[in-house]
Each structure stands twice: as C-alpha cells, then as structure tokens.
Amino acid sequence: AQRHNLLLVSNGNKIEIALGYATLYGDINGVLAPLGDLTKVEIFDMAKYLNKYIFKRQVIPEILLPDADLNFTGDKLLPTAELKENQIDPMKWGYHDALIVALMSFNYSIEDVMAWYLDGTLAERLKISKEIIAKWNLYDPKVFIEDLEWVYDLLNKNTFKRIQSPPNIITSLSAFGFDFRESQVPLRKNKRFYDLKKMILK
C-alpha cells in the first residue's frame, strides 16, 4: 500500500463478518470494509447489476453467481473458504442473510424468530420465499433449531473480531460498528428460549 500510495480494503461481507468467517488478520485487514454491510445475496445482486448495467459485459464471471433461486448448479462454483478443494461455505444463502439482518434490526430477538417458526410465519417475517425455507430443510424442527443455535452462537462468539474490524460503508438500517454496538460480554440464552425450543422440538 505504501509503495503504490494506495490503501488496503477489507473484503469481508456482512454474513462472513457476523459468523466469524472473515478472518481476523486476513479478510478483516484494511482501512475500510466496502462490502461489510452487504449480505452475500446483496453482493450477488450487485455483481449481476454491474455486469448488466454498468460494464455491459461479463466482468464478474457468471460462473461465480447463483441463479435466481440462489442455486449453484451446472458449472457454477459454490462459494468456498480459502478456495480449497471440497471445502464449501456452510452458510444457507438467502436464509442466513435474512436471519442475520432480522437479528441485527434492533426489533427482533432469537426468541421472536422461534415464535415465527411456531406460528408458521417465518418466511413471511424474514421476507423470503417458502421455497428457501424448504430448500435448506428448515421445516424439520431439529434442523431449524440446530441451525438457529449455530448462527446465534457464532454471532455471539465473534464479537471480538468485529470490534477490531475497519469501518463499513453503511448501506442498511443496522451496520456493525458505531451503528450496531456490541459488548464482548457473552449473551446467554434465557428461559423463554429454552421453553420455545422444547415446543419446537416436541
């Protein structure tokens, strides 16, 4: 950066930053996180928009972008960690994007998400299609709970990375950093969480 009189930017997106998949002294390095407040789905949409309307040609290879239903089929390459062989990102694209946005909205808690699941309004409340819920087998209560706890625990555990991250360009109502303030003191699941978990798994 000094040699070329430029600045290094972080390449982590909102979902990777939320779940700790943006590495502390790798993806998070830099003076600014231009993608830090964009979900992966928003980045896919932005890439398609840039190709179609800005560059008017395929600058971002289509092989890296999912179809309209967020499927990587045919010759499309699944997102991978470090581009290693047989190593794919464990994120449920479409669902995790919407879930993390909801949990960061200041309006909803993990217990609210569980209540939506119980009353059958999860897709509607997250503003995603029922097909995305079905695609990831989330209508299975065990899969839903295991995944929800995985997301919530990683979101909680990776606060220490986020407070060392460069600032984001804010594009949403709640961005990590000075907008969405966090404490390193770990959150604990409350009685309502465990009551709802029992009801879901019953």
Side-chain angles (χ1 to χ4, degrees):
Q2 189 175 28
R3 181 182 303 134
H4 297 289
N5 196 28
L6 298 170
L7 295 172
L8 177 68
V9 295
S10 164
N11 65 336
N13 64 61
K14 190 169 192 165
I15 306 309
E16 292 166 341
I17 291 169
L19 300 178
Y21 280 79
T23 53
L24 189 53
Y25 300 113
D27 301 316
I28 285 177
N29 270 342
V31 297
L32 182 70
L35 304 178
D37 197 31
L38 293 173
T39 68
K40 192 78 163 191
V41 169
E42 289 171 329
I43 290 171
F44 292 145
D45 290 343
M46 183 175 66
K48 291 173 184 176
Y49 180 87
L50 288 171
N51 277 351
K52 187 170 183 181
Y53 297 105
I54 305 300
F55 303 121
K56 298 187 184 341
R57 61 192 174 88
Q58 194 181 126
V59 171
I60 299 155
E62 291 290 330
I63 196 172
L64 301 177
L65 305 174
D67 63 22
D69 297 319
L70 298 174
N71 294 313
F72 291 87
T73 55
D75 61 353
K76 292 185 180 293
L77 300 174
L78 277 166
T80 62
E82 300 175 14
L83 300 176
K84 289 186 178 174
E85 194 176 344
N86 298 323
Q87 186 181 29
I88 60 169
D89 287 350
M91 290 78 156
K92 294 175 171 55
W93 302 122
Y95 172 66
H96 285 162
D97 302 77
L99 176 62
I100 288 166
V101 167
L103 291 174
M104 288 181 64
S105 71
F106 303 108
N107 296 316
Y108 307 116
S109 66
I110 189 172
E111 292 82 20
D112 291 323
V113 173
M114 297 166 89
W116 300 341
Y117 185 85
L118 277 170
D119 67 20
T121 63
L122 182 64
E124 179 187 341
R125 298 303 292 264
L126 292 179
K127 298 181 179 138
I128 58 176
S129 70
K130 291 181 178 178
E131 286 74 21
I132 287 178
I133 303 289
K135 170 184 174 177
W136 297 113
N137 198 29
L138 293 164
Y139 286 117
D140 180 325
K142 189 169 182 284
V143 172
F144 169 75
I145 285 293
E146 283 177 0
D147 180 77
L148 188 66
E149 290 192 284
W150 178 80
V151 167
Y152 192 70
D153 290 345
L154 283 181
L155 193 59
N156 189 16
K157 286 175 187 171
N158 286 287
T159 305
F160 79 98
K161 287 186 181 181
R162 292 190 289 273
I163 61 177
Q164 298 179 66
S165 300
N168 295 313
I169 294 175
I170 297 174
T171 60
S172 73
L173 296 176
S174 58
F176 289 120
F178 288 102
D179 190 24
F180 188 81
R181 303 305 296 267
E182 299 182 275
S183 167
Q184 277 193 270
V185 177
L187 297 171
R188 295 188 182 214
K189 298 180 182 95
N190 59 29
K191 182 178 182 302
R192 183 171 176 238
F193 172 89
Y194 289 106
D195 289 345
L196 286 163
K197 180 177 177 179
K198 265 188 208 172
M199 290 168 70
I200 290 169
L201 293 176
K202 197 190 302 188

